Amino acid sequence: MSSRALVVDRPGEHRIVTGDVPMPGPGEALVEVAAAGICMSDREVYDGRRDSAYVRYPVIPGHEWSGTVVAVGAGADPALVGRRTVAEGFRACGVCERCRCGETSLCTGGYAETGFTEPGAFADHLTVPVRLLHPLPDDADLRAAALLEPSAVVAAAVRTGRPRPGERVAVVGAGTLGLLAVQLLAASNPADLTVVDPRAARGEQAKEFGATRALSPADAESEHGSFDLVVETAGAPTTAAASCLLARRGGRAVLTGMFAPGAAGIDPVHLSLSQLEVRSVFGAPSSAWSDAVRAFSLGLLDPAPLITHEFPLERFGEAIALVGGGDPATGKVLLRP
């Protein structure tokens, strides 16, 4: 039996290779991939714009994925075979101080992540340590489950933001992260859940997911100082600063977007006088993965409506071109090996 994988040898160059199915080592699981999402981080890898400390060429990308365990290595529970699953991407060491405190996304043991430094899911199969698996219900929609990685990032932001029933909450950005955030935040019973995005169609979709209002960035300026919690998901040059302005005095802002150098800074005078609590999120610890999988399993989180395009592995070139291409009709793009 053979297995295919898409390899990015260097920026702008990819090929599909066929070889033997990888064998799971001790404590590992072999997963047959059902679906793998493409995000802007994958586009950065392909274009050569990702920081060299966070990618290792040649690489098989694919950090957003779902699949089924088809074999396990020595020392792993054989009952995992046949289970639908997702898995954490960060290969946290588990023994450093931050890992021991449960902050696995802050591991100081060195950076390693599936799809960036370790073989990812743009392939028929991949192997992962069983300690990173999050098994799913037997009837789980694996197509939708491929979005549980960004869902875990959002779950980390929600954990950090500590929403309380009856609060006024804003989500800045209505891309994949923003629309997932709306679903999770709606479950906390906010008095108002406002989405800020320049794309009217995305705002309307956010309302279908539980938002009470959708505002353009210009209209949102009249709402400065109004929100108990602001979750920023866009990573645009001005959205970190704008999110802090939306928060009330003593409010909370959580930044999840990946900002490029030169993004507008947060006004330190406003920060100190307003006594804001500002936190950032990069990746997701194990606890947030558990939250996301639980919400998905209970039906509180349904990523399926965000998927707009699906391609076989052989059409990767078309698929990657859509991501970050600027078409507002493009949502989540999946590869289906």
Side-chain angles (χ1 to χ4, degrees):
M1 184 177 177
S2 61
S3 183
R4 300 167 304 151
L6 187 137
V7 178
V8 177
D9 289 305
R10 57 185 61 84
E13 294 185 17
H14 71 276
R15 59 194 170 97
I16 293 178
V17 300
T18 301
D20 294 334
V21 176
M23 295 292 293
E28 290 186 334
L30 172 67
V31 178
E32 184 176 57
V33 178
I38 305 177
C39 81
M40 278 302 297
S41 296
D42 300 308
R43 180 68 188 262
E44 290 171 359
V45 168
Y46 191 67
D47 290 345
R49 293 184 287 108
R50 187 171 175 86
D51 189 311
S52 60
Y54 295 96
V55 64
R56 187 177 302 139
Y57 298 100
V59 63
I60 301 170
H63 61 287
E64 303 178 2
W65 59 269
S66 63
T68 302
V69 177
V70 292
V72 295
D77 185 357
L80 287 169
V81 176
R83 291 296 304 272
R84 300 183 182 198
T85 194
V86 291
E88 298 172 35
F90 285 135
R91 306 291 181 97
C93 72
V95 296
C96 72
E97 182 180 7
R98 295 274 56 84
C99 283
R100 300 278 288 187
C101 289
E103 298 172 335
T104 52
S105 59
L106 294 174
C107 175
T108 59
Y111 172 72
E113 185 175 4
T114 300
F116 297 105
T117 65
E118 310 297 324
F122 291 177
D124 292 326
H125 301 87
L126 82 161
T127 58
V128 291
V130 295
R131 61 185 173 83
L132 301 180
L133 295 180
H134 287 265
L136 302 172
D138 292 340
D139 61 350
D141 176 1
L142 289 178
R143 177 175 169 271
L147 276 72
L148 281 173
E149 191 276 343
S151 298
V153 173
V154 168
V158 172
R159 267 184 166 248
T160 300
R162 308 182 310 281
R164 305 177 185 99
E167 286 193 320
R168 299 193 70 204
V169 180
V171 175
V172 177
T176 297
L177 289 180
L179 292 173
L180 292 169
V182 167
Q183 293 191 41
L184 287 181
L185 289 165
S188 69
N189 293 314
D192 175 47
L193 180 52
T194 296
V195 169
V196 179
D197 195 284
R199 300 165 293 184
R202 289 300 182 96
E204 291 303 310
Q205 190 173 17
K207 287 194 279 188
E208 294 174 6
F209 289 163
T212 51
R213 296 189 298 164
L215 301 176
S216 69
D219 290 339
E221 292 180 7
S222 64
E223 301 283 333
H224 284 179
S226 297
F227 297 96
D228 301 288
L229 170 63
V230 182
V231 177
E232 187 282 329
T233 67
T238 61
T239 51
S243 295
C244 291
L245 293 175
L246 287 170
R248 65 163 171 82
R249 296 190 70 195
R252 309 174 314 274
V254 182
L255 311 179
T256 70
M258 295 298 294
F259 299 96
I266 298 169
D267 180 0
V269 175
H270 173 74
L271 198 63
S272 59
L273 293 180
S274 297
Q275 300 181 61
L276 297 184
E277 178 184 332
V278 181
R279 293 283 304 276
S280 61
V281 167
F282 175 69
S286 299
S287 56
W289 273 90
S290 295
D291 285 352
V293 170
R294 186 179 302 113
F296 175 71
S297 300
L298 291 172
L300 297 174
L301 181 69
D302 180 15
L306 278 65
I307 301 166
T308 58
H309 297 79
E310 300 178 52
F311 293 90
L313 210 57
E314 293 81 5
R315 294 174 63 188
F316 169 76
E318 295 173 61
I320 196 73
L322 285 173
V323 177
D327 185 347
T330 300
K332 176 55 65 175
V333 179
L334 294 184
L335 288 180
R336 301 291 300 271

